[in-house]
Amino acid sequence: MEAVTEEQNDLERRASENSQSIKPRWRSLFAFTTRPHLLPLCLALVLSVSSGVVSPVLSYLLGRVFDCFTNFGIGKYGGPELIRNVSKYALGVTGLGVASGILHAGYFGFWLVFGELQAKGARDSLFGSMLEKDMEWYDMRRDGVEALIQRLQTQIRELQMGTSQPLGFALQSTVTALSALGLAFYTAWDLTLITIASIPFAALVLGWISSRMQPSIEAQAKELNTASKFANNAFQAIDVVKCFNGQDFETWQYAKAIKRAAKKYLIQAKANALQIGFVRFITLSMFVQGFWYGSHIVIAGKKEPGQVLTAFWSCLSALQAVEQILPQILVLEKGRAAGATLQAVLTQMDKRHRVIVSGQLTPEFCEGDIEVRNVSFRYPSRPDQPALKHASFFFPAGETTFVIGTSGSGKSTLGNLLMRFYEPASGEIFIDGNPLQTLDIAWLRNNITLVQQQSVLFNETIFKNIAFARRDWEKVGRDEVKRSIDTAFLQNTINEFPKGVATVVGAGGNAMSGGQRQRVAIARASLRDTPILILDEATSALDHISKGMVMDAIREWRRGKTTIIITHDLSQIADDEFTYILDKGVVVQEGYRYALEKGEAGPLVAPRRPSVNFPTTKRLPKLSEEVRKPSIISMSSGSCGSTVSVCSHDSLDIQYRPRAQSVFVPGIFSLAKESPEMNRRSYFEPFVSPAATGAFAMHRMSGVPDIFTRPLNPSAQQNEGKSRIAGWPLMPRRDQKEQDLGDWSLLNELHKRTHDTGRTSSEKRTSQAAKEHSETIALKVVRRQSEDLQGDGPLRIAPIKKILLTVWPTLTWKHRPLLLGGFFCAAVHAAGTPVFSFVFSKLLATFFQPVNREREALKWSLSVLAVGTGDALASFFMHYLLEACGQAWVDNLRIESMKRIIDQPRTWFDKEKNSVSKLTECLDRNAEEMRNLLGRFAGFMFVVVMMLSTAVIWSLVVCWKLTLVGLASAPFIYMITRLYQAVSGKWEGRSNDAGTSAATIFTETFGNIRTVRALTLEAYLHEKYLKATEKAFHVGLRRSAYSGTFYGISDSGIAFATALIFYYGAKVAASRDFTVQNIITVFSMLLFSIASANSILAFIPQINSSCATATRLLRLANLPHKSSYEHAGHVRLPALGTISFNDINFTYPSRPLGPVLNSLNLKLSPHTSIALVGASGSGKSTIASLILGLYPPTSGALTFDSLEISALHLPSLRSLIAVVPQTPQIFATTIALNIAYAMPERSSLASRANIEKAAEVAGIHTFISSLPRGYNTLIGEGGTGLSGGQAQRIAIARAVARKPMLMVLDEATSALDGESARGIRELVRRLRGQGVGVLMVTHDREMMRVCEEIVVVKEGRVEERGGFDELVLRRVGELRRLLGGA
């Protein structure tokens, strides 16, 4: 683990060594403010300042009203005079309410507009900036590009939140505080100074606490990045996760990352709660000195009681305003951290991470001459491994040239450099004699087309994916596309789609097979028809005959145009075609094929079977020797010899011998330790030992505890199905004696239990069966929501009440007492305001007491201090405990969501709403916003309800008449508040959806940045993204208008209610039915309570946004669990028997095609080697997918030893099979952990010795050993980059390490060079000798030869079956036809 940590630290250091470190400052909130933003910002500022003055004006009017009641109490006023004066001030309060409503509507709406502008500015700036970043910048992202994209979306949201209503609310409160203090100083400066004497000390304490927050915010963001990376990897590689039973391992490592992030957040929560509690104490404790001194100056006759009350109420308003800012501090802190991070991304360019500077040269024509002169290059993610070393090439205009070599030899690097994805470290590249760096990049990429092995398609129609070849794709005609389709022989495939070329291919082109995607990419290149074409393994997924036909079409199409073909398939090279051979970044041979075949050594000299004849037709005229200058370079593989010196990467002494010596050193293309002849005897002899069989008969092969892996028995499944009653579906029960995902204290114990190999499988199954019935309980939440959540229609946002009802069942027994404690403290805090109001009224009463004023004032001031101390403690614990429970709540839901997501059937992931980016966003940003519902809002709403209830009851007891009149306004206030909430919720949902649409385009663009740049689609995608952000902005503008208007109406309603209470209070006092003290008591209680209730209005948009995101997360957390076909069976096979397909029909649910398999009848022996052969799209890979249980048959019976697959326990079945997918999936971890993926840590299969042996067999051990940290090297997202062949060999090693009973190889050699492919063929022979079955999906003739039997599939049926020689010799046969009549 230390080595892993060192590697990660090294990558992090390299990723950030050239980045500008920006310390988050408050001006970071305005990092994306531009000149057009100043008008709404200024309007928002002016309206905030104006609305901030409302509270001091209200304080002045309250002072005047109190003067009236004081004068009435001491006999200066009579009843009519009291009513007349109070009525005058009540009218003033009414007018103030009208002004307040207008001002608050304006400031609220304009701050929302400003937040939308900042979000749009950040989105647009990031998109434009990232389009210009070089590939080195993308390679050096610490957690990979996908995780970076998700974090950027979260940070844009945090910036938007920090610059909208929370910022406006904080500014308004600041103005309120300052203006209130100004009024206080004007009224009674000496009293004000004494009252606020403790504020400087309080400011220092608050500043110190705030400074402690920022590091934890950054640390939490880093841990959430890691969690997002884990989730993103798992969702992208869901086939591998399921086939290798890695569901529980992925959940476990995700839970660990979430746990670390939770610890960092709790530091922030504690600091924020401490700030709130401290300010609460300071606010109330100032009454001790303030009222004592106020009573003194009233007795001395220096001030009137009304002046004292005005000054004191102003001081109280100022501190209450500061107190109201504090809940927004965390939002603002996150906002400024997000702004600083986003700004850092934009400015992260220096001599190594800079925008590639485009040249200015745009020649009128491109002839196509390419010269690569003495170029060296290292990828930034693996600086210790040179990709090219002083390599020189010449590709003459109008000719086809081949580049071959071992995996990782630097072939694809050549294409990357020609496209200017990277800059060479040394040497020069010339196009038509012009240095590459002097050419305009747009011109360059419009004259070069790169078609890569992993063909990337966009979520558009087939027509548009092909039309993207042109910059003016809108003008591309159907005839042009038709010609391109014919070139790629794609018409038959398109005819199978009901909508033809109008068919949307889905995210990443998942509606098409690998071969079909490659042909779409070739059709796109044909339409593009640039002077220079680079094909990088562009036909590797095609069958032999399709490959030959496509290659012939390419030769015809490319006649007279420069074409570079990078391949491992030597059969594509004609005798008269020039070839470069690379090894370890060095050109070791070059020449025409016929000349290279006469050499002494090399891949083209290797003995070949007579039936594998290469084409002899000379398709292109041979160039003269003077033009091509063919030569064969000799290279020493081990030392700084006299031929080509390959010293350390620091060496500058590279010497060459004359070209006259034409020698190919044996061993250049051998794999040394990986040689098939090595390590045979010990590794495969015990390939399927009884011990291994027992170990793999376990239901999961995962390094995680039982809690993640318990299979449901039939009764448990039945119970789960019944419990989806009208509300949320089932969630795991959190019993006190039950281990569970959310209990952080148990994670280490869970991990420890995972690797306990002392218990037998039967013991484990017995202990699990005893717990099966306690897995789930019903969450009775959100009636009528279940169908909306799990259906395909739009989500209906759940009300906050029903969302919060999920809290208790989700929390563990560890957190439930904390939740109760949090709400108990909230109740105490709520009671604090009425108690304070009562004590405050007693303080006010001292002003018209004839005797003992000072003593009574001191007594009640000390009572306020006691109330303040208790209230401050209750406030601190309320905020911290509820934040802690909120974090536990969302984290449990996150982990539950993760567990349920990867448990879904494979077809679920093909739906658009379940795309990888949306799932990752939901677990990351949505969960962060959802936490606020409990952590920030639930406690506050509970306090308001309790406070109002207590105040109303107390007020009814004290003065029921005045209280009932005050309550008469409640229906009106409730109605406008509910209307405001409904309108705000509707537009919050629309705004979120518009933002998600823009984020999807962002993800698609930068997740496929190489293809985007190769096709020069930057302008199109930029325009598409700008339209999406513009739409999101306009939706946000409408949200701002509606929310601001209704917020202003709601706010003014409170002022009207206050005026009514004042007026009727005067009438009650004048009637002498109640004492003045009772009326003042009711005033204090109702006004304090109404003010507190009013403050919740500002949170409604945030509450609605949190409800929208919570609904999305709860949909995932309540997905069906263990109820799909994958969990229907319970029979565990000890060994594989005959696999039978009986009248199997199958159609992919998400693909608009006809049946892929048509009445398929096929029997496969698990102990023989069988090759599945057929044209692209014939159903070969589908057969393998059905065997692995990734999809259920549409009809028919798939059986293992006469047992239908639906009766089998799929995890145990998959543990007997290992798969090597056509597209290798690499996880973001070390090489060793990639090979031992999801295996129990203490298993012998996970030992270093077994891992290294598997790597040797896969032909990758020498490469791994050459890395500085060997098997501890981090790879995948954010780690060391691998070539396609290297990644495929690691995938092969992953399968070999498991020592399975059946190995499924799906085009496992498509990215491998000839020598590596020979090693895999030897592996198949040895597996066959050990009784291990091999099911091989292949187009490769030599791979077919090593198999005992060939099954030819055509249009979803078995066309023919037999031995290779038997089928090839048939005069009329499908295999013979596929192999081109060989």
Side-chain angles (χ1 to χ4, degrees):
M1 288 302 295
E2 292 180 0
V4 177
T5 303
E6 290 175 6
E7 173 74 8
Q8 180 69 64
N9 290 339
D10 181 59
L11 284 172
E12 292 179 6
R13 175 185 56 78
R14 284 160 35 205
S16 60
E17 63 183 356
N18 297 309
S19 64
Q20 182 180 354
S21 177
I22 298 181
K23 183 179 179 181
R25 303 182 188 279
W26 287 113
R27 67 168 178 262
S28 299
L29 287 170
F30 305 94
F32 298 93
T33 302
T34 60
R35 187 179 297 274
H37 301 173
L38 294 180
L39 177 60
L41 176 60
C42 291
L43 289 173
L45 289 170
V46 170
L47 290 170
S48 296
V49 171
S50 301
S51 61
V53 178
V54 169
S55 183
V57 173
L58 181 61
S59 298
Y60 172 79
L61 293 174
L62 289 176
R64 302 283 69 77
V65 170
F66 179 72
D67 257 344
C68 294
F69 279 95
T70 302
N71 290 330
F72 176 77
I74 61 178
K76 285 187 177 181
Y77 285 171
E81 192 175 0
L82 172 65
I83 295 175
R84 185 174 60 255
N85 288 329
V86 170
S87 297
K88 179 178 64 175
Y89 293 121
L91 285 175
V93 172
T94 303
L96 184 65
V98 174
S100 175
I102 296 172
L103 293 173
H104 279 82
Y107 109 81
F108 197 85
F110 277 111
W111 277 115
L112 287 177
V113 169
F114 183 69
E116 292 288 346
L117 286 169
Q118 298 314 289
K120 186 177 187 302
R123 289 178 179 133
D124 294 349
S125 298
L126 280 171
F127 196 94
S129 176
M130 288 179 66
L131 277 180
E132 297 176 344
K133 293 291 178 69
D134 60 10
M135 292 308 302
E136 179 181 356
W137 185 88
Y138 289 93
D139 289 348
M140 295 306 296
R141 296 310 90 206
R142 181 175 59 219
D143 293 313
V145 176
E146 295 289 345
L148 170 69
I149 290 170
Q150 294 304 323
R151 286 307 303 162
L152 289 179
Q153 299 306 315
T154 300
Q155 286 163 341
I156 289 173
R157 179 63 177 173
E158 289 175 349
L159 176 65
Q160 181 180 0
M161 292 292 293
T163 54
S164 54
Q165 69 267 27
L167 180 59
F169 193 68
L171 180 62
Q172 181 208 27
S173 297
T174 301
V175 172
T176 298
L178 294 177
S179 55
L181 285 176
L183 178 61
F185 275 108
Y186 175 78
T187 305
W189 64 267
D190 50 349
L191 174 62
T192 303
L193 283 177
I194 292 176
T195 302
I196 65 172
S198 57
I199 285 184
F201 170 73
L204 290 175
V205 173
L206 291 176
W208 179 82
I209 296 173
S210 182
S211 67
R212 305 276 75 80
M213 276 191 197
Q214 201 57 233
S216 62
I217 290 175
E218 295 169 2
Q220 183 204 12
K222 178 180 176 181
E223 296 299 345
L224 287 176
N225 246 0
T226 302
S228 293
K229 180 170 68 173
F230 287 148
N232 192 74
N233 281 175
F235 301 153
Q236 285 187 326
I238 190 63
D239 286 355
V240 174
V241 170
K242 286 181 176 291
C243 290
F244 287 91
N245 292 323
Q247 296 97 320
D248 308 321
F249 172 75
E250 293 294 344
T251 305
W252 176 76
Q253 68 171 358
Y254 178 78
K256 284 176 57 181
I258 288 299
K259 171 191 174 182
R260 294 192 296 269
K263 289 182 178 178
K264 303 302 181 183
Y265 181 76
L266 291 182
I267 296 174
Q268 305 165 39
K270 186 180 293 184
N272 191 235
L274 188 59
Q275 285 180 323
I276 294 172
F278 181 73
V279 169
R280 188 71 176 169
F281 173 76
I282 292 295
T283 301
L284 299 183
S285 64
M286 70 180 188
F287 281 84
V288 177
Q289 71 267 24
F291 257 94
W292 173 81
Y293 185 75
S295 177
H296 171 73
I297 59 177
V298 168
I299 294 173
K302 296 180 179 178
K303 295 290 182 183
E304 294 294 325
Q307 292 177 306
V308 171
L309 179 62
T310 297
F312 201 81
W313 191 274
S314 297
C315 291
L316 181 62
S317 297
L319 286 180
Q320 281 183 330
V322 173
E323 187 179 9
Q324 289 174 352
I325 294 175
L326 295 179
Q328 310 291 348
I329 285 294
L330 198 52
V331 177
L332 296 175
E333 289 280 3
K334 283 182 173 289
R336 72 165 176 158
T341 302
L342 295 173
Q343 191 178 29
V345 172
L346 293 175
T347 58
Q348 199 178 42
M349 288 174 281
D350 60 10
K351 65 180 181 180
R352 290 194 60 191
H353 296 299
R354 70 173 67 250
V355 174
I356 291 182
V357 178
S358 175
Q360 302 298 317
L361 190 60
T362 57
E364 186 175 356
F365 300 105
C366 178
E367 297 293 336
D369 257 352
I370 302 174
E371 183 180 2
V372 179
R373 187 183 300 169
N374 205 31
V375 163
S376 295
F377 176 73
R378 300 168 188 265
Y379 284 100
S381 61
R382 39 178 173 161
D384 299 325
Q385 296 292 317
L388 287 177
K389 295 187 290 188
H390 303 284
S392 296
F393 306 86
F394 178 63
F395 304 102
E399 295 296 327
T400 296
T401 308
F402 283 80
V403 180
I404 64 174
T406 57
S407 301
S409 60
K411 306 183 300 298
S412 297
T413 301
L414 180 62
N416 290 333
L417 292 178
L418 290 176
M419 296 297 294
R420 281 200 78 186
F421 291 158
Y422 302 93
E423 299 286 355
S426 63
E428 294 182 285
I429 300 175
F430 298 90
I431 304 289
D432 293 341
N434 299 307
L436 194 66
Q437 65 271 18
T438 66
L439 295 171
D440 179 75
I441 288 182
W443 180 93
L444 179 73
R445 292 174 181 167
N446 280 315
N447 282 279
I448 301 178
T449 297
L450 173 63
V451 182
Q452 297 173 305
Q453 180 178 3
Q454 304 302 330
S455 304
V456 174
L457 302 184
F458 298 93
N459 191 17
E460 303 281 1
T461 63
I462 296 175
F463 182 92
K464 188 174 286 189
N465 267 285
I466 296 174
F468 279 155
R470 300 268 185 86
R471 300 191 74 174
D472 56 345
W473 61 269
E474 303 96 333
K475 301 179 181 179
V476 174
R478 297 184 69 88
D479 291 341
E480 294 177 284
V481 172
K482 176 68 168 57
R483 287 193 294 272
S484 299
I485 289 172
D486 291 341
T487 300
F489 294 92
L490 191 60
Q491 188 60 56
N492 289 339
T493 297
I494 291 176
N495 289 340
E496 296 174 353
F497 290 87
K499 295 183 179 180
V501 293
T503 300
V504 177
V505 301
N510 61 16
M512 310 185 84
S513 69
Q516 291 166 344
R517 288 195 296 269
Q518 282 194 335
R519 281 189 280 182
V520 171
I522 292 171
R524 185 164 59 196
S526 173
L527 178 62
R528 191 174 173 84
D529 198 21
T530 51
I532 300 171
L533 172 67
I534 305 171
L535 300 177
D536 189 353
E537 295 287 358
T539 61
S540 61
L542 301 182
D543 59 88
H544 184 83
I545 190 168
S546 297
K547 186 182 297 183
M549 293 167 63
V550 170
M551 284 302 300
D552 287 342
I554 290 173
R555 281 190 171 92
E556 182 63 29
W557 152 45
R558 297 298 299 174
R559 188 181 299 277
K561 299 173 184 175
T562 306
T563 307
I564 302 171
I565 300 178
I566 299 168
T567 184
H568 290 128
D569 186 359
L570 307 184
S571 66
Q572 296 181 16
I573 310 173
D575 286 344
D576 56 355
E577 290 177 323
F578 201 86
T579 304
Y580 286 97
I581 302 174
L582 282 173
D583 183 60
K584 298 179 181 177
V586 176
V587 178
V588 293
Q589 284 186 307
E590 59 178 279
Y592 292 101
R593 173 169 188 147
Y594 71 84
L596 295 176
E597 286 180 336
K598 297 176 183 178
E600 298 179 3
L604 295 175
V605 185
R608 298 180 300 278
R609 298 178 184 269
S611 61
V612 192
N613 294 323
F614 297 107
T616 57
T617 304
K618 298 183 180 180
R619 298 176 172 84
L620 295 173
K622 183 169 63 179
L623 293 177
S624 66
E625 299 295 317
E626 289 77 18
V627 174
R628 295 306 297 246
K629 298 182 181 179
S631 62
I632 303 175
I633 301 176
S634 171
M635 173 187 139
S636 171
S637 61
S639 62
C640 303
S642 59
T643 52
V644 176
S645 175
V646 186
C647 303
S648 70
H649 64 274
D650 292 325
S651 174
L652 299 177
D653 299 326
I654 308 295
Q655 300 181 5
Y656 296 86
R657 292 188 61 174
R659 289 191 176 190
Q661 296 188 359
S662 179
V663 181
F664 187 89
V665 180
I668 289 295
F669 278 83
S670 66
L671 292 173
K673 294 182 180 181
E674 292 89 331
S675 174
E677 287 73 26
M678 300 184 67
N679 301 299
R680 289 188 187 180
R681 62 187 186 281
S682 61
Y683 192 63
F684 286 98
E685 286 171 3
F687 208 83
V688 187
S689 65
T693 302
F696 280 82
M698 294 171 60
H699 64 280
R700 287 285 170 96
M701 225 183 77
S702 173
V704 290
D706 291 345
I707 184 62
F708 295 100
T709 63
R710 301 186 192 108
L712 288 175
N713 60 18
S715 61
Q717 286 182 326
Q718 186 177 10
N719 290 340
E720 179 161 345
K722 290 179 180 178
S723 65
R724 295 176 61 87
I725 51 170
W728 297 108
L730 294 181
M731 292 275 292
R733 196 162 95 188
R734 310 295 186 179
D735 288 340
Q736 187 172 7
K737 298 180 181 180
E738 191 75 9
Q739 307 281 3
D740 62 88
L741 294 176
D743 192 346
W744 302 129
S745 64
L746 299 177
L747 271 178
N748 293 331
E749 177 63 23
L750 292 173
H751 189 206
K752 180 179 178 182
R753 288 173 50 203
T754 299
H755 310 307
D756 181 10
T757 56
R759 297 170 62 193
T760 66
S761 298
S762 61
E763 288 173 338
K764 291 180 180 179
R765 287 193 294 271
T766 301
S767 65
Q768 291 158 7
K771 299 176 182 176
E772 286 173 348
H773 288 284
S774 61
E775 273 297 303
T776 57
I777 66 170
L779 294 182
K780 299 177 181 178
V781 188
V782 193
R783 296 184 182 276
R784 305 185 309 276
Q785 297 291 335
S786 182
E787 293 80 3
D788 293 330
L789 289 175
Q790 307 308 338
D792 292 328
L795 279 176
R796 184 184 303 170
I797 298 176
I800 183 172
K801 174 184 175 183
K802 295 181 178 180
I803 292 173
L804 290 176
L805 287 176
T806 66
V807 174
W808 182 263
T810 305
L811 292 179
T812 66
W813 280 107
K814 172 183 175 181
H815 288 98
R816 286 178 180 176
L818 300 182
L819 180 66
L820 295 175
F823 279 104
F824 172 77
C825 292
V828 173
H829 178 53
T833 298
V835 172
F836 167 76
S837 302
F838 172 77
V839 176
F840 184 62
S841 67
K842 293 294 184 182
L843 272 173
L844 295 179
T846 61
F847 286 117
F848 45 82
Q849 285 184 359
V851 294
N852 297 325
R853 284 186 178 182
E854 292 190 50
R855 188 169 61 83
E856 288 296 309
L858 181 60
K859 180 181 102 173
W860 291 111
S861 294
L862 291 175
S863 299
V864 168
L865 180 63
V867 172
T869 302
D871 195 23
L873 290 173
S875 180
F876 167 76
F877 284 109
M878 177 193 80
H879 285 91
Y880 178 68
L881 293 178
L882 291 182
E883 285 280 15
C885 291
Q887 185 68 46
W889 174 46
V890 297
D891 286 346
N892 289 346
L893 289 175
R894 273 171 161 158
I895 299 168
E896 188 66 29
S897 298
M898 182 72 176
K899 183 173 75 171
R900 290 176 181 248
I901 287 171
I902 56 181
D903 182 66
Q904 296 309 295
R906 181 61 183 82
T907 55
W908 185 85
F909 293 88
D910 295 333
K911 297 179 180 179
E912 174 61 25
K913 71 174 183 178
N914 300 325
S915 65
V916 172
S917 60
K918 290 181 179 178
L919 294 175
T920 309
E921 179 188 31
C922 190
L923 292 178
D924 187 2
R925 178 177 73 83
N926 291 0
E928 287 295 289
E929 287 194 35
M930 180 181 181
R931 180 188 55 232
N932 293 332
L933 289 177
L934 179 59
R936 292 178 58 202
F937 306 135
F940 190 57
M941 289 186 293
F942 178 79
V943 167
V944 168
V945 171
M946 290 290 295
M947 186 186 302
L948 285 174
S949 301
T950 305
V952 167
I953 294 172
W954 200 331
S955 298
L956 284 171
V957 172
V958 175
C959 182
W960 62 270
K961 282 187 177 181
L962 179 58
T963 305
L964 289 178
V965 170
L967 291 177
S969 61
F972 168 72
I973 295 175
Y974 177 78
M975 180 186 68
I976 59 176
T977 302
R978 290 290 295 174
L979 184 61
Y980 168 45
Q981 184 181 15
V983 171
S984 175
K986 172 185 174 181
W987 286 100
E988 283 292 337
R990 292 184 179 182
S991 182
N992 280 334
D993 290 340
T996 299
S997 298
T1000 300
I1001 301 172
F1002 194 99
T1003 301
E1004 184 178 38
T1005 301
F1006 296 107
N1008 304 308
I1009 186 62
R1010 289 177 188 270
T1011 301
V1012 169
R1013 287 185 170 171
L1015 295 174
T1016 61
L1017 288 175
E1018 294 95 332
Y1020 164 73
L1021 289 169
H1022 199 178
E1023 182 182 0
K1024 183 179 179 181
Y1025 185 71
L1026 290 178
K1027 287 180 179 177
T1029 58
E1030 191 69 24
K1031 179 182 178 181
F1033 176 65
H1034 284 296
V1035 171
L1037 288 182
R1038 297 179 70 183
R1039 174 181 74 110
S1040 304
Y1042 284 110
S1043 296
T1045 300
F1046 283 93
Y1047 175 70
I1049 294 172
S1050 301
D1051 182 80
S1052 61
I1054 303 296
F1056 301 152
T1058 302
L1060 176 63
I1061 292 171
F1062 282 162
Y1063 172 73
Y1064 193 74
K1067 289 186 69 72
V1068 171
S1071 67
R1072 307 286 182 175
D1073 291 338
F1074 296 90
T1075 65
V1076 172
Q1077 183 174 343
N1078 288 341
I1079 293 172
I1080 291 177
T1081 299
V1082 172
F1083 277 171
S1084 299
M1085 289 185 182
L1086 291 182
L1087 291 179
F1088 273 112
S1089 300
I1090 288 174
S1092 298
N1094 185 39
S1095 61
I1096 203 172
L1097 294 176
F1099 292 116
I1100 285 181
Q1102 297 178 55
I1103 291 173
N1104 286 328
S1105 178
S1106 296
C1107 286
T1109 56
T1111 304
R1112 290 176 169 83
L1113 183 61
L1114 284 170
R1115 176 184 80 89
L1116 300 179
N1118 291 280
L1119 289 168
H1121 187 229
K1122 296 191 175 181
S1123 61
S1124 70
Y1125 67 88
E1126 293 190 355
H1127 299 281
H1130 304 281
V1131 178
R1132 301 169 187 266
L1133 291 178
L1136 289 175
T1138 301
I1139 305 171
S1140 300
F1141 290 78
N1142 302 309
D1143 290 322
I1144 292 291
N1145 292 289
F1146 178 75
T1147 302
Y1148 285 101
S1150 63
R1151 300 183 185 178
L1153 291 167
V1156 179
L1157 299 180
N1158 286 303
S1159 300
L1160 177 71
N1161 289 284
L1162 176 64
K1163 290 187 182 295
L1164 302 173
S1165 170
H1167 306 298
T1168 59
S1169 54
I1170 301 171
L1172 288 177
V1173 180
S1176 299
S1178 60
K1180 307 181 300 298
S1181 297
T1182 301
I1183 292 174
S1185 295
L1186 294 184
I1187 291 174
L1188 288 159
L1190 292 177
Y1191 299 92
T1194 304
S1195 64
L1198 172 57
T1199 63
F1200 291 76
D1201 259 352
S1202 301
L1203 289 171
E1204 287 201 28
I1205 192 171
S1206 59
L1208 300 180
H1209 184 240
L1210 277 183
S1212 62
L1213 173 66
R1214 289 169 179 165
S1215 70
L1216 304 174
I1217 306 172
V1219 63
V1220 179
Q1222 182 175 358
T1223 302
Q1225 296 289 349
I1226 299 300
F1227 295 93
T1229 185
T1230 65
I1231 293 176
L1233 292 179
N1234 261 283
I1235 295 175
Y1237 175 70
M1239 288 198 291
E1241 187 178 297
R1242 297 185 182 180
S1243 168
S1244 60
L1245 300 178
S1247 66
R1248 177 54 65 90
N1250 188 63
I1251 291 171
E1252 291 184 3
K1253 287 180 180 178
E1256 289 173 1
V1257 170
I1260 192 70
H1261 175 70
T1262 296
F1263 167 74
I1264 297 172
S1265 299
S1266 69
L1267 298 172
R1269 291 181 175 84
Y1271 285 84
N1272 289 323
T1273 301
L1274 286 164
I1275 56 177
E1277 286 281 346
T1280 298
L1282 299 175
S1283 70
Q1286 290 163 345
Q1288 199 156 34
R1289 282 187 282 176
I1290 286 178
I1292 293 170
R1294 181 189 296 149
V1296 169
R1298 278 154 174 75
K1299 300 186 178 179
M1301 293 184 177
L1302 175 65
M1303 187 174 291
V1304 178
L1305 304 175
D1306 189 355
E1307 293 291 353
T1309 60
S1310 61
L1312 299 184
D1313 56 86
E1315 186 65 27
S1316 299
R1318 281 194 287 274
I1320 302 306
R1321 293 196 291 273
E1322 181 61 26
L1323 167 65
V1324 173
R1325 292 190 183 96
R1326 282 183 279 172
L1327 292 175
R1328 186 173 64 190
Q1330 297 297 327
V1332 177
V1334 176
L1335 180 63
M1336 183 181 302
V1337 177
T1338 185
H1339 294 129
D1340 185 79
R1341 181 195 300 262
E1342 292 304 309
M1343 293 302 292
M1344 299 178 200
R1345 285 184 179 278
V1346 301
C1347 293
E1348 299 169 86
E1349 194 172 15
I1350 308 295
V1351 175
V1352 183
V1353 182
K1354 183 179 181 181
E1355 296 179 355
R1357 297 186 180 91
V1358 176
E1359 184 71 13
E1360 60 183 3
R1361 183 172 185 170
F1364 179 81
D1365 293 333
E1366 171 194 349
L1367 297 181
V1368 166
L1369 293 175
R1370 289 182 181 177
R1371 295 182 61 83
V1372 179
E1374 182 65 15
L1375 181 63
R1376 184 180 179 87
R1377 187 188 71 81
L1378 288 171
L1379 295 179

